[in-house]
């Protein structure tokens, strides 16, 4: 069954749908109130970050969040992506990732770093297909499973512009 999917920047009212989607996909992340605050913060200052959502049948079925790193790393943004299991492999993740990459280029981001759980073959496959390289495995304090335990995560990265001195490597 083919579903029509619509894409746009997230709005504060999307926070409950984003929270529900992320809970179904990866477990606890951040509460709806914090998601709403973060969505509004990114909407008010596009250079800080972006939340994008995909809708099908009035429900959030995909979400991607990108946030610019601070300080010496402001040319880098970290992304996290989530697609509802029932609509995976239909191009939703690919479209969300393309939207984030457009945002990144518009805002002077040179490098994107994506994170996903170890064993999340769908996300890892998406990053790999899009030209990202797995650079690290880590246990990050904000990534917990449904039991509240820290999860092992993979970090994927892609330069959106040629790296300085890349030809010399």
């Amino acid at each position: 069954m083919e579903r029509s999917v619509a894409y746009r920047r997230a709005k504060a009212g999307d926070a409950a749908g984003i929270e529900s989607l992320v809970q179904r996909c990866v477990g606890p992340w951040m509460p709806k109130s914090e998601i709403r605050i973060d969505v509004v913060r990114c909407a008010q200052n596009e250079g800080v970050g972006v939340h994008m959502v995909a809708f099908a049948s009035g429900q959030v079925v995909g979400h991607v969040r990108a946030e610019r790193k601070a300080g010496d790393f402001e040319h880098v943004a970290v992304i996290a992506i989530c697609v509802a299991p029932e609509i995976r492999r239909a191009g939703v993740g690919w479209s969300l990732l393309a939207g984030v990459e457009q945002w990144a280029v518009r805002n002077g981001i040179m490098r994107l770093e994506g994170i996903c759980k170890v064993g999340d073959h769908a996300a890892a496959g998406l990053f790999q297909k899009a030209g990202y390289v797995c650079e690290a495995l880590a246990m990050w304090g904000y990534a917990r499973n449904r039991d509240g335990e820290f999860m092992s995560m993979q970090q994927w990265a892609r330069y959106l512009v040629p790296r300085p001195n890349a030809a010399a490597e």
Side-chain angles (χ1 to χ4, degrees):
M1 175 175 98
E2 188 161 323
R3 298 166 99 179
S4 176
V5 180
Y7 302 89
R8 66 169 169 76
R9 286 185 68 128
K11 300 175 184 174
D14 299 327
I18 293 169
E19 180 187 40
S20 176
L21 173 68
V22 173
Q23 288 282 341
R24 284 191 314 129
C25 292
V26 296
W29 181 45
M30 64 170 72
K32 178 174 59 178
S33 60
E34 289 181 34
I35 294 171
R36 181 175 286 115
I37 291 166
D38 196 52
V39 168
V40 170
R41 178 181 65 94
C42 291
Q44 291 174 343
N45 183 354
E46 184 182 83
V48 170
V50 66
H51 286 261
M52 298 183 72
V53 288
F55 283 92
S57 303
Q59 300 293 314
V60 175
V61 295
H63 170 252
V64 65
R65 175 184 185 267
E67 183 172 20
R68 180 189 297 267
K69 285 188 172 182
D72 292 340
F73 298 101
E74 65 181 21
H75 64 285
V76 177
V78 177
I79 61 176
I81 191 165
C82 181
V83 176
E86 67 272 12
I87 200 162
R88 289 186 183 152
R89 304 207 51 83
V92 173
W94 188 261
S95 294
L96 288 169
L97 196 56
V100 162
E101 290 179 356
Q102 290 171 7
W103 164 83
V105 169
R106 272 195 320 273
N107 287 281
I109 303 291
M110 296 171 53
R111 174 184 158 96
L112 289 174
E113 296 175 352
I115 57 170
C116 69
K117 294 186 309 184
V118 170
D120 183 344
H121 302 295
L126 173 65
F127 285 131
Q128 192 170 26
K129 180 180 174 185
Y132 288 68
V133 174
C134 186
E135 292 188 330
L137 298 177
M139 290 187 71
W140 290 329
Y142 62 83
R144 295 178 179 266
N145 66 17
R146 286 178 171 77
D147 297 323
E149 300 164 336
F150 291 119
M151 293 186 292
S152 295
M153 305 294 284
Q154 290 178 316
Q155 176 178 308
W156 294 80
R158 177 171 173 235
Y159 282 89
L160 300 175
V161 297
R163 292 180 292 168
N165 302 321
E169 293 178 357

